[in-house]
Amino acid sequence: MPTTRRQRTVQAPAGEVWGVVGDPHHLPRWWPKVSRVESVDRDRWTQVFMTRKGRPVRADFRLVASERPKRREWRQELADSPFERVLSEAVTEVRLEPEGGATEVTIEQRQRLRGLSRLGGFMVRRATRRLLDEALEGLVVACER
């Protein structure tokens, strides 16, 4: 299962970073390509991405674990989605570790590929590294003043 992990220090206290990471409403502020979030419930939400042609694509997520202010993990609901052909599992975990007045943020994505997509694991890891780096940069912008 391709697993990609990236980390970065955010110059903000863990509580402030958690305020952004722990609330799905803030995903458009820091998660790449998310234009808006819909249907937010206590343990599920829908992210709306825009394609290059401007068409919205919805992806549903379910909260798996949340340990305030240290860890948050969510799983993409793949059944009956456009992503189902490529992925059989997609889990994202964000861990926060206080370091003085700053926070060490680690984002890990675990993806289990389906069918012939399994042959492209190295390409998925490379693309996921870029995505996670963009997410960390977005988090820096959202949390640092």
Side-chain angles (χ1 to χ4, degrees):
M1 170 168 25
T3 298
T4 306
R5 183 179 306 109
R6 306 301 275 176
Q7 66 185 81
R8 183 164 177 183
T9 300
V10 176
Q11 298 302 317
E16 279 185 40
V17 178
W18 180 263
V20 175
V21 170
D23 184 352
H25 288 101
H26 290 289
L27 283 163
R29 291 178 57 201
W30 68 281
W31 197 264
K33 300 178 178 75
V34 175
S35 63
R36 68 181 183 273
V37 178
E38 301 175 340
S39 306
V40 176
D41 199 359
R42 185 181 58 78
D43 65 345
R44 58 181 52 217
W45 61 90
T46 300
Q47 293 178 11
V48 180
F49 304 91
M50 297 304 277
T51 66
R52 289 188 186 125
K53 295 182 179 181
R55 194 178 62 117
V57 176
R58 287 171 171 72
D60 296 321
F61 295 86
R62 175 181 289 271
L63 185 64
V64 174
S66 186
E67 300 169 25
R68 182 184 181 104
K70 294 183 181 258
R71 179 175 161 289
R72 189 143 171 106
E73 183 176 331
W74 58 88
R75 175 182 314 276
Q76 186 173 357
E77 299 291 306
L78 297 165
D80 300 323
S81 80
F83 307 97
E84 181 180 37
R85 291 178 310 195
V86 178
L87 297 168
S88 62
E89 182 177 37
V91 178
T92 303
E93 181 180 8
V94 179
R95 291 187 302 277
L96 307 178
E97 189 65 41
E99 288 188 350
T103 306
E104 183 72 28
V105 179
T106 303
I107 304 177
E108 179 178 291
Q109 247 187 11
R110 297 180 302 276
Q111 299 167 314
R112 182 168 289 136
L113 302 174
R114 181 184 299 274
L116 289 176
S117 300
R118 291 184 305 225
L119 300 175
F122 70 95
M123 291 187 304
V124 169
R125 278 191 294 277
R126 185 174 1 146
T128 303
R129 272 194 306 271
R130 282 194 304 265
L131 177 83
L132 298 184
D133 285 340
E134 286 180 44
L136 288 166
E137 180 61 31
L139 201 51
V140 165
V141 170
C143 295
E144 292 183 2
R145 292 190 172 95

